[in-house]
Amino acid sequence: MATDAIDTESAFTSILARCHALSLRQQIAGDDAHKAIGYFPVYFPEEIVHAAGLLPYALLGGGNRVEVRYADARIGSFVCSICRTTTELGLNHSLGEMAGFFAQPICDAAKHMAGIWGRNFPQQDPQILALPQNVSSPAAARYVYDEYQRLRTILAEKVGRAITDDEIRASLGVYNENRRLQRALYAIKRDDPSRLSTVEAYLLIRAGTRIRREEHNVMLREALDLLARRRVRPMDKPRVIFVGGFCEQPPLEMIETIEDVCFIVDDDLLIGQRWITEDIPEQGDPVWALAESYIQRSASSPVQYDVRKPKEETLMTMLREARAEAAIISAAKFCEPGLDDQLALSRRLDREHIPHLVLEFEEKMTSFEQMAMQVETFAETLLFE
Amino acid sequence: MATLATPAATLAPDARAAGQRLVNEWLRNVQTAPERGQPVAYVFVMGNAIEILRVFGFELVFPEINSLQTGVRKAAPDFLARAEDFGFSPDVCSYVKADVGLMLNDMQHPSGARIPRPDIAIASSLCNVYIKWAEIWERHFGASTFVLDIPGKRFASWRPIPGSPQYDADKRWVQGQLEDLIAQCERITGRKFDPDKLAEVEANVNEMIRLWVEILKLNQGRPAPYNSMLDGLTYIGVLNAWRGTPEGVAYMRLLRDEVAAKVARGEGRVKDERYRLIFSGTPCYVNMRRMVELFELHGGVFAASDYLTYAAGGLDSSGLFYDPARPLESLAEVTTLASQLGLSNHFFSHHTLAQQVKEYNADGIVYHGIKSCRTVATSMADNREYVTSRYGLPTLYIESDLIDPRYWSDAQIKNRVDAFFEVLEQRRLLKGEA
Ligand code: SF4
Ligand code: SF4
């Protein structure tokens, strides 16, 4: 490899190493601890938090690196792992004293997170940001707007000053750029998957939940620049999409296991980070623009009902646009919305004769041998079809 | 559209017989709806806008009741197995699976009734599983689904104050959706919305709720005239199925009179009432009699249960009644309040439970966790920990399922119940109250 190629690769590797370290970190860094507004998945209007000068902090569970010592006594054994490990990170003080905590009505377990937090950490002012389920109603945008204004007032009280429209507009600009950069990553993953793996894209995006968005923009720009120059050896693997990573995150090792034998050319991992699919207008009332974008320029997931986006059609569009030949339909263990959709999606794929593999995961999994065998067999059948 | 003979116009002299007659009547009406050309709505017990559906003459099917009845009639294992064989995970809500089993059984219910397909299904956001469940109907029946998003309380001490901007925002949202629903019902039935009819239905609901609140209060006295987790379950069955109707009002009146008479006679549900308990959670329909028996053997009665609030629409908790002079606005107001004060309480019920202990002069709280109902059970253990440490209340946690007998372990549950009563007994001795 020529020297510049080596330099490119090593620069890219060092960015990824930083992202990896950030994704493993369970504590909120130094001064940020008291500025963090923790939010439970899926989506959160981070721009308002950013405009207040606070740190939006996506709570993504403890993965397979946290030992659950306290949470088991507080949460039913039949509840998904992200609820359990997030509670553990609260109870074992890893998250420290966040300035706020928000859950959303994505599912019934998540609503309980606000109750658990309220009983155990009342000083963090925990509550529910009641994003709606019936988003296609003509009244929905106004309601989301009102709920966002409520959030704005709460945050203004925390920082002791009003949050101005101009500040929110500036934040929209930062986040619009961030989402453009994320879309660019996904385009590479789709069009030239040998150049950027899903694990890499995932780590790059996940890092954004742990550092300031401006800093993340710099990081992504640099990564994209390096990727453009990255020397790659095109590989031939089946192109698949992966769904089921909208809330609880599958372990990195699981994505690696799949990628050993397939290209994941599109996915819903950390979909909340990419929830808004186009630029949010930066003119006019910025809170209205945010609210309206939530309704009109948004992705979809099993935890939001939207009559305009039937899940099977969304999946078929995803397959088509990603030019994928197969799908991996996964769900987190005990995740009712994920499990319900898993069945609906696999039935549709059966009907369309599209090969697919159904997998259940838990963020805390540590053994992947069996899954590797399943995935390998699946990939082989794809190669021989 | 053919008209029905007025059902149960003169009610039987006792509430039990009247209730039974009304339930049978309701099931008959549901079954014969298609041949009578009457539209059918599938609704849930929390957040269902029944008042609007009544205006349009929908017959109401409660899939939760269909599912619980598979448990009561010991037919659940077969229905659950069918759904699991079809591909549903064992971890999915067992009500959903029983209903899928029913669909796979061509809607032939173990009660003998054949449940008609829906013309509309209403799923509120008060349990997110409702929405996923309705999505299954969308696919199976091609039914149109209406998702009614009702914002619940945002934190434990959330107090919606009518007239405040926050409350207005939530109410405006609910009202906007109710208007969408009305338009959808007009399309389905070809009828025009009649606000006077809505006012009439609301007046009936008001009266039913007034009586229901009285009935709940009557159990605050000692001895408790009824067991909220046995008798109470039949009361709310009728209350749901006949909400907003003159028959419902007549039933509630009869029931109130009967319960009041029992109180006057000093007659308790349990012969020698020794302990009064609050039940939190959903019933174990497959073994409810046995469960209640385990407590009654020790002289324990469930004087109150949060289930009687949320499984009956939560209206008793709002303290507000409909204003039939402004029927639609008032429906939006009360729906919002009922949701915020009653129906979204599972997530933050610690203070309310402690309050109920006081109001009902109770000795402790029994939490019943349901493995597949995350709406009610996710954080019960944490809730219990809080109530025990903060209020020093004796509590018991037991776990089974609504209808899946695989999760009922008689010996284990009995041991826990017996041990709980020992604790209660000791506390009493220590207080010198034996
Ligand atoms: S993983 Fe599923 S069940 Fe768990 S919080 Fe997320 S959406 Fe809810
Ligand atoms: S999750 Fe619980 S509340 Fe929801 S439908 Fe199932 S049993 Fe009912």
Side-chain angles (χ1 to χ4, degrees):
Chain A
M1 225 191 280
T3 332
D4 62 338
I6 295 172
D7 289 349
T8 304
E9 200 54 37
S10 90
F12 189 64
T13 308
S14 81
I15 294 181
L16 283 182
R18 180 167 178 232
C19 292
H20 194 230
L22 284 169
S23 85
L24 291 181
R25 193 195 282 165
Q26 308 286 14
Q27 273 88 12
I28 305 177
D31 277 358
D32 283 340
H34 298 290
K35 287 194 179 163
I37 300 292
Y39 71 88
F40 202 69
V42 173
Y43 167 78
F44 197 74
E46 287 197 13
E47 286 88 335
I48 305 177
V49 182
H50 181 269
L54 296 166
L55 179 74
Y57 189 86
L59 296 163
L60 297 172
N64 52 15
R65 312 272 170 150
V66 65
E67 189 198 343
V68 177
R69 286 168 55 208
Y70 305 104
D72 279 349
R74 305 302 182 96
I75 296 193
S77 54
F78 38 80
V79 179
C80 63
S81 185
I82 185 174
C83 287
R84 188 178 307 282
T85 56
T86 303
T87 303
E88 184 68 24
L89 294 176
L91 293 172
N92 74 13
H93 307 295
S94 292
L95 292 170
E97 276 305 329
M98 296 188 294
F101 173 97
F102 288 88
Q104 291 133 90
I106 54 164
C107 70
D108 306 301
K111 289 185 255 185
H112 276 282
M113 291 299 286
I116 292 175
W117 231 260
R119 285 186 287 273
N120 292 285
F121 316 107
Q123 67 288 359
Q124 292 181 29
D125 188 21
Q127 48 184 294
I128 288 179
L129 182 78
L131 290 174
Q133 285 290 337
N134 179 12
V135 281
S136 57
S137 165
R142 173 65 203 268
Y143 167 71
V144 176
Y145 174 80
D146 287 330
E147 192 64 359
Y148 282 3
Q149 291 290 18
R150 184 173 80 82
L151 172 66
R152 182 185 192 170
T153 309
I154 294 167
L155 298 176
E157 274 166 21
K158 288 188 195 297
V159 294
R161 62 170 181 83
I163 306 165
T164 66
D165 280 359
D166 281 341
E167 285 170 321
I168 301 177
R169 253 181 237 116
S171 300
L172 290 182
V174 174
Y175 276 79
N176 275 340
E177 179 179 6
N178 190 260
R179 285 183 287 257
R180 280 198 293 270
L181 295 166
Q182 292 192 47
R183 288 198 291 273
L185 285 177
Y186 265 71
I188 299 177
K189 198 161 90 80
R190 183 190 59 221
D191 298 334
D192 190 3
S194 306
R195 187 167 298 277
L196 174 68
S197 73
T198 293
V199 167
E200 291 167 341
Y202 176 77
L203 285 173
L204 284 165
I205 289 178
R206 187 166 167 146
T209 65
R210 296 292 177 264
I211 53 177
R212 307 255 148 206
R213 248 344 123 156
E214 291 84 343
E215 196 185 339
H216 192 229
N217 284 348
V218 173
M219 175 194 270
L220 293 188
R221 275 198 300 268
E222 200 184 328
L224 281 163
D225 185 44
L226 292 166
L227 280 168
R229 288 188 278 130
R230 192 181 206 185
R231 188 73 64 83
V232 285
R233 198 161 32 87
M235 289 175 279
D236 194 19
K237 289 193 272 190
R239 294 169 64 91
V240 304
I241 57 168
F242 174 93
V243 295
F246 57 93
C247 181
E248 181 170 318
Q249 296 301 294
L252 223 47
E253 297 90 326
M254 174 173 166
I255 310 175
E256 280 165 352
T257 301
I258 298 170
E259 284 199 305
D260 282 343
V261 287
C262 299
F263 285 129
I264 301 174
V265 285
D266 200 1
D267 60 65
D268 65 351
L269 296 161
L270 293 177
I271 192 73
Q273 297 298 309
R274 301 175 281 125
W275 187 256
I276 305 290
T277 51
E278 295 164 36
D279 282 359
I280 299 179
E282 290 173 40
Q283 307 76 34
D285 181 340
V287 177
W288 177 260
L290 253 178
E292 203 242 352
S293 298
Y294 179 76
I295 311 281
Q296 302 298 358
R297 298 173 193 88
S298 47
S300 65
S301 84
V303 291
Q304 189 194 58
Y305 182 82
D306 191 339
V307 77
R308 303 165 305 175
K309 301 172 188 165
K311 55 188 125 194
E312 294 88 346
E313 303 319 317
T314 310
L315 181 80
M316 296 309 294
T317 309
M318 196 172 171
L319 276 159
R320 203 172 42 248
E321 289 182 350
R323 301 183 302 283
E325 58 194 288
I328 294 182
I329 310 291
S330 73
K333 184 155 180 58
F334 297 123
C335 171
E336 177 114 25
L339 290 167
D340 286 336
D341 275 22
Q342 199 175 38
L343 184 59
L345 298 180
S346 63
R347 283 176 62 77
R348 174 62 180 265
L349 294 173
D350 278 340
R351 246 190 26 233
E352 304 272 353
H353 305 293
I354 295 176
H356 58 282
L357 176 65
V358 172
L359 291 179
E360 193 172 278
F361 70 86
E362 249 186 315
E363 53 161 21
K364 63 176 186 209
M365 285 166 77
T366 48
S367 159
F368 300 90
E369 287 83 23
Q370 209 192 331
M371 188 176 275
M373 267 160 53
Q374 271 180 289
V375 178
E376 267 168 42
T377 314
F378 176 62
E380 274 166 24
T381 57
L382 294 178
L383 285 174
F384 294 119
E385 266 198 7
Chain B
M1 190 186 295
T3 48
L4 267 180
T6 311
T10 45
L11 288 160
D14 73 284
R16 176 188 288 269
Q20 196 52 55
R21 248 164 74 173
L22 282 173
V23 167
N24 293 340
E25 193 86 48
W26 160 62
L27 278 175
R28 241 190 336 272
N29 292 349
V30 163
Q31 276 193 91
T32 56
E35 71 206 46
R36 287 181 291 110
Q38 198 145 7
V40 173
Y42 282 17
V43 292
F44 294 103
V45 294
M46 297 193 288
N48 46 30
I50 282 179
E51 287 73 359
I52 287 181
L53 297 171
R54 290 248 183 261
V55 172
F56 288 96
F58 282 90
E59 286 295 351
L60 306 179
V61 170
F62 291 83
E64 288 155 301
I65 299 183
N66 294 341
S67 290
L68 76 84
Q69 280 293 334
T70 66
V72 173
R73 292 167 191 273
K74 313 287 183 210
D78 179 38
F79 281 69
L80 296 170
R82 279 174 185 236
E84 287 176 15
D85 290 346
F86 187 70
F88 278 91
S89 158
D91 299 326
V92 164
C93 163
S94 42
Y95 271 9
V96 174
K97 282 186 296 182
D99 192 53
V100 169
L102 181 62
M103 289 177 217
L104 296 172
N105 202 33
D106 203 18
M107 301 310 284
Q108 197 60 53
H109 193 267
S111 64
R114 192 190 170 90
I115 312 292
R117 43 172 293 122
D119 294 289
I120 191 171
I122 299 193
S124 82
S125 56
L126 289 163
C127 165
N128 288 51
V129 170
Y130 287 170
I131 301 172
K132 305 311 286 181
W133 193 343
E135 286 180 352
I136 300 172
W137 298 329
E138 273 181 340
R139 280 146 188 84
H140 185 79
F141 299 113
S144 70
T145 294
F146 189 89
V147 168
L148 179 59
D149 184 82
I150 315 179
K153 58 164 74 162
R154 314 302 205 275
F155 44 85
S157 55
W158 176 266
R159 288 282 166 272
I161 301 165
S164 69
Q166 180 56 56
Y167 172 78
D168 284 347
D170 289 354
K171 187 200 86 179
R172 185 167 46 232
W173 169 226
V174 172
Q175 186 166 336
Q177 295 175 86
L178 293 177
E179 284 161 9
D180 300 342
L181 174 63
I182 288 172
Q184 198 162 326
C185 291
E186 287 185 331
R187 278 197 300 277
I188 291 171
T189 62
R191 289 196 199 173
K192 275 234 67 68
F193 173 64
D194 177 358
D196 294 339
K197 175 78 181 141
L198 178 60
E200 207 179 286
V201 173
E202 288 182 351
N204 287 331
V205 175
N206 281 348
E207 188 56 10
M208 286 178 81
I209 295 304
R210 197 182 60 71
L211 292 159
W212 177 231
V213 171
E214 268 189 61
I215 294 164
L216 291 171
K217 286 221 169 95
L218 284 167
N219 235 23
Q220 290 180 353
R222 192 185 285 265
Y226 61 90
N227 195 317
S228 60
M229 287 316 280
L230 205 58
D231 320 274
L233 303 183
T234 54
Y235 304 164
I236 60 169
V238 182
L239 191 150
N240 278 320
W242 291 89
R243 181 162 131 189
T245 62
E247 293 81 6
V249 175
Y251 169 77
M252 294 313 284
R253 192 167 292 131
L254 187 65
L255 181 62
R256 190 273 321 265
D257 291 348
E258 213 173 273
V259 175
K262 267 181 118 178
V263 171
R265 293 195 299 271
E267 200 178 310
R269 151 81 201 183
V270 181
K271 204 152 169 288
D272 292 306
E273 181 182 298
R274 281 185 59 74
Y275 298 103
R276 300 167 59 77
L277 301 165
I278 306 292
F279 185 98
S280 179
T282 43
C284 168
Y285 278 107
V286 76
N287 270 320
M288 204 59 212
R289 271 188 194 282
R290 172 64 178 154
M291 186 188 271
V292 165
E293 182 186 65
L294 292 176
F295 290 87
E296 291 192 345
L297 282 172
H298 293 273
V301 67
F302 295 120
S305 166
D306 49 12
Y307 186 71
L308 294 195
T309 290
Y310 57 77
L315 293 183
D316 64 284
S317 58
S318 80
L320 266 198
F321 292 94
Y322 294 123
D323 177 0
R326 310 175 289 123
L328 186 59
E329 202 185 340
S330 157
L331 179 62
E333 282 167 8
V334 175
T335 302
T336 308
L337 280 170
S339 148
Q340 303 195 346
L341 295 169
L343 300 175
S344 56
N345 213 27
H346 337 278
F347 315 111
F348 310 101
S349 62
H350 41 288
H351 296 314
T352 328
L353 285 171
Q355 180 68 22
Q356 272 194 328
V357 167
K358 261 198 215 142
E359 286 169 3
Y360 285 81
N361 206 358
D363 300 282
I365 303 172
V366 176
Y367 292 89
H368 179 222
I370 293 292
K371 282 185 185 283
S372 66
C373 176
R374 280 159 276 263
T375 299
V376 171
T378 293
S379 68
M380 262 182 186
D382 184 61
N383 191 315
R384 179 185 178 211
E385 159 72 25
Y386 184 92
V387 166
T388 316
S389 58
R390 174 81 176 253
Y391 297 106
L393 290 169
T395 58
L396 169 68
Y397 179 80
I398 47 178
E399 205 170 272
S400 73
D401 190 71
L402 287 147
I403 51 170
D404 192 337
R406 290 172 291 188
Y407 294 112
W408 176 268
S409 158
D410 197 80
Q412 200 185 21
I413 294 175
K414 182 172 185 315
N415 278 345
R416 293 183 65 100
V417 172
D418 291 347
F420 178 57
F421 279 103
E422 267 173 39
V423 172
L424 294 182
E425 195 66 40
Q426 270 169 17
R427 278 176 69 104
R428 197 161 270 190
L429 285 171
L430 283 173
K431 281 197 201 159
E433 290 173 5

